[in-house]
Amino acid sequence: MPSITLHINDHPHAVDVAPDTPLLWVLRDTVGLTGTKYGCGMGLCGACTVHLDGEARRACQILVSSIGSARITTIEGLAADRKHPVIRAWLAEQVPQCGYCQPGQIMQAAALLAGTPHPTRQQIDEAMNGNICRCGTYQRIRRAIARAAAETA
Amino acid sequence: MMPDDTLTRRAFLGVGAQGAAALVVGFYLPACGGTRETTPGRAGQAFTPNAWIRITADDRITILVEKPELGQGSRTYTAMMVAEELEADWSTIRVVQAPTVPAIYKELRTAGSGGVESTYLAMRQAGAQARELLRTAAARHWGVPRQDCRAVNGAIVLAGTGRRLSFGALASAAAALPALAPTEIPLKAPEQFRLIGRAVPRLDLPAKVDGSATFGIDVRVPGLLFAVIARCPYFGGRLRHVDATRARRVPGVHAVFPVAPLPRRFNTAGGVAVVADSSWSAVQGRRELVLAWDRPAGEPESTAGLRRVMERAVLGPATFVAVDRGDVVDALRGASRVLEADYESPFQAHATMEPMNTTVDVREREIEVWSPTQFADEVQREIAELAGVALDRVIVHMTLSGGSFGRRYQWDVPAEAWQVANVMRRPVQVMWTREDDFQHDFYRPHNRQRLRAGLDTRGRLVAWSTRIVTTPIAATNLYTGYTESPETLRDPATIAALEWYGGDIAPYAIPNFRLDYAPADSVVPRSWWRSVASSYTPFAEESFMDELAHALGRDPLRFRLDLLTPGEPDADRLRRVLRLAAEQAGWGTPLPAFQGRGLACRVNGTCSAQVAHVAVDPDGSVRVLRVVSAVDCGLVISPDGVRAMTEGAINFALTAVLTGAITVKDGAVEQSNFHDYRVLRLSQAPDIDVQIVSSTAPPSGVGELGAMLAGPAVANAVFAATGVRVRRLPIESTLLRRT
Ligand code: FES
Ligand code: FES
């Protein structure tokens, strides 16, 4: 198999995988970045959300061969220095319960705020609707996004 | 990455092998002069500890927590209880999961939201005991009376002198002291608390926001392989034939082999394992299998058929009378008016966000298991039995769990992971896909309840009877030959706990009350699901209570309050939360058309009332706008934790109220992923206002009550909004459509 070079969190990674492998499994099983989670494999839950050139995308739906030179950011990259306003807001609002969905929630929220620094409640509801949280932390997610938005005012 | 928050068994045994069964508090000393010198703690008399406290010379305090961390904050709250009495400096506290050493740690599990209740006293005593030993050590060192030595924020200080010795400096001296019986140790009065009841940030959250938290599915050990299992879609079916030629050709696939079903209490389906060097390759390999299954004999089960069986069973004979007060038959006969209604709720999936998985490494001398389980000690026992090895040859690391809600109290997943790893003889992670998860869950039972109430000529409620029919949890393994079950089904305590718990209408004062039970057969495996039977019994009772109030033209709040006898403790607590929730929700104030408020309440250790405010759209869809929940859960360890758990429980239950249902057709579950088992999403999530009643009673759990009341509160609100009575969940929007 030809090796594919991915640009993940500002580092190049050469991986030997079948070209039709979804990015999710390359991150988790090949590169060892397990912060990106598997929840459904069908683009229905958002647990696998990463950024591709800054845009929130479902890693389970992206074939590794289609990425080309796009920059991939995972939760490990976004949270590297724990200074990101979304990370800080998430801790301030004590959002996670089990925590499994939260990397995806945070990546989705960070992309929302990058494009819409002061989202309305409706914009938050729309942007976050694809990210399931079975522990039901939704109210805190709304609050944390509002807090992060206020901080970057 | 290796999970680093579980102590290895070896490290543990190095610390305290002697007299382990009676150790109370172990003081662990750090490496010293190249050799690790350790001192075990002392034997306590009648005290079996739940955890250990370790204080090292560098002033770091490690607290071992038995209860698994499922997202409820158990690690933080247990540590708070210990640190409160110990007078520790909170910033020096580290929490690790206790290892599976059955002689010492007997409670490596959580169920029924019992985490806080069962640990509260024991953990405070453990902290207090360490504190007293440290005080004694300091008193001896200074040659002063003990009462002059006070524990303050991680040190012992000598009154009036400014002299102080840190806990770390005293650790080795304290370790040499004889233990005190816990009854000799004074505990702090609640007014003296400086951690309990305060906002303490959860210790597990930093790792959960930066991707470093290790869930079961994230376990990575050297040489790890990944496996999925093709299971028979028909419950009770068996593999007839497999052609694995193409599966074996999938790049990355290492092995394909049949896995026998484990009957009896394991209840695994068996099937064909595909082992590969990545999860994806394993899934691709499974897709290429050519499989033929033998279906179980007899007519295949369907939800439609089960519903018909249940319609008859609410009328047929009861197998069991659970509660019988007064004379219901007579009172109903004499009533001037009798009301009757049936309520029904379907099978429900757990749908934890982290799908089932377990990693097992079968080595020559030991078996190592990493599992996101709720029940580590049972996993250890079951795998030891399957493998035919002594218990201490099986090491179970309880990893973080991505939700559980009762699902991870089963040990089917670790058992089949052992089967696969036992063939491979190298570490294997058996992962369930989301489809596996929906189709091979242990579901919340399908149930139907018939309620009857008798009113006298003055509109007083004089009689109430409830018939509960469920697909019993107690018999869940019957179809695979779990022969103990018929007996279990006659055991009153089991039936009470599993099938009708919460069915008693007390503390409502109704002179004649009867609750009885009848089972309905099903091949679908069943199990606990957040709040078990109480997830459906209050839906029937509290909806019916609402029906009675409306039938009498009475306000549902007033009607309930009048049924609660003043002076009776549970009744008084309920009145208080009812009033609080109603007041916060603006009960009785006007709302726009097609909006309404509904009320429900319950005592279950914790006492709670909920008011839901809903809007019903022209297309019949129900939007839950706001839920007010008043909670009396005794002394509160963490107010924010109570709020978080209550918010979570309500949102969890709203899935089952609004959209979620597992149905069976042709002997198999019809749903397979989040497109056809629709769970609550953020745009549907209500604003939730949790009001906590202050109390000094012992703490009680809050992980479940929120879930019990969302159904009836929302259904009653829908009635208030539309005049349509919801008697079946999830709510069918076609019944409410106006266009
Ligand atoms: S795993 Fe990708 S959206 Fe669910
Ligand atoms: S925190 Fe558990 S699924 Fe979101």
Side-chain angles (χ1 to χ4, degrees):
Chain A
M1 265 176 290
S3 136
I4 298 172
T5 300
L6 298 173
H7 301 276
I8 310 170
N9 301 332
D10 295 330
H11 294 288
H13 288 265
V15 293
D16 280 322
V17 293
D20 61 349
T21 310
L23 172 63
L24 170 65
W25 301 109
V26 179
L27 290 172
R28 292 185 50 81
D29 296 353
T30 312
V31 183
L33 291 171
T34 54
T36 305
K37 303 301 188 204
Y38 164 68
C40 69
M42 285 179 68
L44 298 167
C45 78
C48 65
T49 306
V50 297
H51 294 176
L52 222 56
D53 283 337
E55 210 182 296
R57 299 279 302 275
R58 308 291 186 235
C60 71
Q61 299 299 302
I62 304 171
L63 300 189
V64 71
S65 56
S66 73
I67 295 170
S69 61
R71 287 174 302 109
I72 302 160
T73 308
T74 70
I75 184 70
E76 289 90 347
L78 186 93
D81 59 5
R82 296 246 183 106
K83 292 219 181 74
H84 195 285
V86 171
I87 302 280
R88 284 188 289 128
W90 242 248
L91 285 174
E93 295 293 344
Q94 295 277 290
V95 175
Q97 288 193 26
C98 83
Y100 192 80
C101 73
Q102 299 296 342
Q105 305 278 6
I106 289 168
M107 297 308 285
Q108 187 71 33
L112 164 68
L113 289 170
T116 314
H118 299 285
T120 61
R121 174 164 169 148
Q122 195 178 340
Q123 285 171 321
I124 294 174
D125 280 18
E126 272 165 24
M128 302 304 294
N129 214 37
N131 290 72
I132 294 172
C133 175
R134 261 306 251 174
C135 297
T137 64
Y138 294 130
Q139 166 160 317
R140 286 166 190 247
I141 290 172
R142 281 197 195 108
R143 277 211 304 259
I145 293 173
R147 176 187 281 262
E151 267 186 27
T152 50
Chain B
M1 111 199 44
M2 283 278 292
D4 58 358
D5 51 1
T6 308
L7 281 195
T8 68
R9 180 165 138 276
R10 269 179 239 93
F12 165 80
L13 289 175
V15 176
Q18 303 114 292
L23 280 174
V24 176
V25 180
F27 288 93
Y28 167 84
L29 300 181
C32 167
T35 48
R36 173 169 279 203
E37 193 193 310
T38 58
T39 312
R42 300 296 148 207
Q45 273 72 48
F47 180 44
T48 310
N50 303 74
W52 274 23
I53 301 162
R54 291 174 184 187
I55 302 177
T56 49
D58 60 0
D59 281 321
R60 281 172 59 94
I61 300 174
T62 305
I63 295 171
L64 281 83
V65 174
E66 290 186 306
K67 302 287 178 197
E69 181 60 70
L70 311 167
Q72 77 284 48
S74 61
R75 290 184 180 174
T76 307
Y77 306 143
T78 305
M80 283 167 73
M81 298 172 205
V82 174
E84 180 69 67
E85 293 290 345
L86 181 58
E87 301 293 0
D89 172 356
W90 182 248
S91 67
T92 63
I93 300 279
R94 192 174 73 107
V95 179
V96 297
Q97 187 75 52
T100 40
V101 181
I104 301 175
Y105 299 108
K106 303 190 190 310
E107 290 291 327
L108 298 158
R109 65 186 84 157
T110 284
S113 287
V116 169
E117 285 143 282
S118 59
T119 49
Y120 178 63
L121 197 59
M123 288 302 100
R124 285 178 60 204
Q125 284 172 336
Q129 188 151 30
R131 177 192 72 218
E132 292 308 302
L133 292 170
L134 290 160
R135 283 179 67 205
T136 304
R140 291 199 184 165
H141 181 82
W142 286 321
V144 299
R146 223 166 66 95
Q147 61 265 34
D148 291 350
C149 301
R150 256 185 355 115
V152 181
N153 203 33
I156 304 294
V157 297
L158 181 56
T161 65
R163 290 166 81 186
R164 80 190 273 290
L165 281 167
S166 76
F167 287 178
L170 289 164
S172 81
L177 294 171
L180 304 155
T183 45
E184 291 171 21
I185 301 165
L187 294 179
K188 293 168 76 170
E191 318 69 92
Q192 299 172 305
F193 288 163
R194 59 195 177 92
L195 287 171
I196 292 176
R198 302 286 152 81
V200 175
R202 270 174 55 176
L203 299 166
D204 55 327
L205 297 202
K208 289 179 176 177
V209 298
D210 68 8
S212 66
T214 304
F215 296 86
I217 206 167
D218 303 326
V219 168
R220 297 289 180 267
V221 293
L224 182 66
L225 294 176
F226 298 84
V228 292
I229 296 174
R231 296 175 189 80
C232 180
Y234 318 108
F235 294 116
R238 292 290 173 261
L239 179 67
R240 184 183 340 135
H241 174 76
V242 56
D243 176 355
T245 321
R246 285 191 10 233
R248 289 203 172 89
R249 278 196 216 121
V250 169
V253 169
H254 285 236
V256 181
F257 50 87
V259 176
L262 296 170
R264 293 184 55 235
R265 60 186 186 278
F266 297 99
N267 211 348
T268 66
V272 179
V274 180
V275 188
D277 52 20
S278 76
S279 323
W280 179 248
S281 299
V283 169
Q284 293 303 101
R286 182 169 77 174
R287 216 168 267 167
E288 297 298 327
L289 291 172
V290 181
L291 295 155
W293 305 103
D294 280 327
R295 290 172 179 243
E299 178 81 3
E301 181 167 325
S302 73
T303 295
L306 181 61
R307 293 190 65 205
R308 284 194 295 273
V309 169
M310 289 200 163
E311 277 164 26
R312 287 193 298 271
V314 291
L315 295 169
T319 55
F320 193 82
V321 179
V323 183
D324 208 356
R325 288 192 291 266
D327 189 337
V328 162
V329 179
D330 203 48
L332 283 174
R333 208 177 287 131
S336 72
R337 200 171 158 196
V338 173
L339 280 85
E340 181 178 286
D342 281 14
Y343 295 85
E344 189 184 1
S345 348
F347 290 120
Q348 289 293 349
H350 295 86
T352 62
M353 280 317 290
E354 178 192 14
M356 296 301 109
N357 67 84
T358 290
T359 303
V360 179
D361 185 10
V362 178
R363 295 189 293 263
E364 190 81 30
R365 299 199 48 79
E366 56 194 5
I367 300 169
E368 196 162 5
V369 181
W370 293 263
S371 187
T373 174
Q374 242 178 304
F375 201 177
D377 43 341
E378 189 61 28
V379 167
Q380 184 186 37
R381 274 191 292 280
E382 299 298 337
I383 291 185
E385 189 189 312
L386 281 174
V389 302
L391 208 54
D392 63 1
R393 293 288 181 84
V394 180
I395 305 152
V396 180
H397 304 277
M398 186 156 45
T399 68
L400 290 176
S401 290
S404 180
F405 321 121
R407 174 64 179 95
R408 300 186 204 272
Y409 213 73
Q410 306 291 322
W411 46 89
D412 57 317
V413 182
E416 63 173 22
W418 171 80
Q419 288 180 292
V420 177
N422 194 42
V423 171
M424 298 307 292
R425 296 282 162 162
R426 59 185 277 193
V428 183
Q429 179 171 104
V430 170
M431 187 195 79
W432 290 39
T433 61
R434 178 57 62 194
E435 288 77 10
D436 299 336
D437 212 67
F438 272 118
Q439 306 220 296
H440 297 278
D441 198 349
F442 290 71
Y443 307 85
R444 194 278 306 272
H446 190 124
N447 62 88
R448 186 180 185 98
Q449 299 166 75
R450 167 153 301 184
L451 277 62
R452 303 180 78 205
L455 303 163
D456 70 8
T457 46
R458 291 162 57 198
R460 283 177 314 198
L461 185 49
V462 291
W464 179 304
S465 82
T466 300
R467 159 66 58 84
I468 300 182
V469 177
T470 72
T471 53
I473 291 174
T476 191
N477 294 8
L478 259 181
Y479 74 97
T480 50
Y482 188 25
T483 50
E484 292 95 315
S485 284
E487 276 315 305
T488 321
L489 267 179
R490 278 190 281 276
D491 172 37
T494 307
I495 298 292
L498 298 180
E499 324 298 352
W500 63 260
Y501 193 76
D504 194 337
I505 48 153
Y508 290 126
I510 298 167
N512 303 290
F513 174 72
R514 179 185 160 110
L515 180 134
D516 61 23
Y517 176 80
D521 275 350
S522 167
V523 297
V524 178
R526 283 93 57 186
S527 176
W528 301 268
W529 187 90
R530 201 166 190 166
S531 77
V532 198
S534 301
S535 72
Y536 48 80
T537 51
F539 166 58
E541 290 152 39
E542 283 294 293
S543 297
F544 197 49
M545 199 55 95
D546 208 66
E547 295 204 42
L548 294 172
H550 286 288
L552 290 164
R554 306 222 21 220
D555 170 61
L557 171 65
R558 217 35 276 165
F559 184 66
R560 284 178 174 81
L561 290 172
D562 287 349
L563 284 169
L564 295 165
T565 316
E568 210 257 292
D570 274 351
D572 284 344
R573 291 173 73 207
L574 258 189
R575 295 159 67 88
R576 197 160 157 202
V577 292
L578 271 168
R579 287 212 174 92
L580 179 59
E583 188 186 299
Q584 276 309 327
W587 185 260
T589 58
L591 287 174
F594 301 107
Q595 292 196 14
R597 294 190 191 89
L599 183 67
C601 65
R602 172 136 240 75
V603 185
N604 174 28
T606 293
C607 178
S608 180
Q610 245 179 55
V611 176
H613 172 187
V614 308
V616 180
D617 290 341
D619 68 354
S621 54
V622 173
R623 280 182 293 129
V624 184
L625 304 174
R626 181 162 182 250
V627 177
V628 177
S629 173
V631 183
D632 172 357
C633 57
L635 188 131
V636 173
I637 308 296
S638 162
D640 194 54
V642 169
R643 281 193 287 273
M645 287 309 285
T646 307
E647 292 162 15
I650 290 168
N651 284 336
F652 183 84
L654 285 179
T655 287
V657 174
L658 298 175
T659 47
I662 290 292
T663 53
V664 178
K665 200 175 162 191
D666 216 11
V669 163
E670 291 188 276
Q671 291 72 26
S672 64
N673 209 317
F674 291 117
H675 64 289
D676 50 13
Y677 184 89
R678 287 183 299 132
V679 301
L680 190 85
R681 289 175 181 271
L682 186 127
S683 65
Q684 301 165 290
D687 289 329
I688 298 173
D689 174 2
V690 181
Q691 298 283 327
I692 304 172
V693 171
S694 80
S695 163
T696 51
S700 52
V702 291
E704 304 195 328
L705 250 178
M708 300 176 195
L709 299 181
V714 169
N716 293 342
V718 167
F719 181 81
T722 63
V724 178
R725 178 57 63 182
V726 173
R727 296 201 185 96
R728 187 178 161 201
L729 298 180
I731 296 172
E732 283 159 284
S733 55
T734 46
L735 297 177
L736 306 174
R737 186 169 293 158
R738 305 195 288 278
T739 50

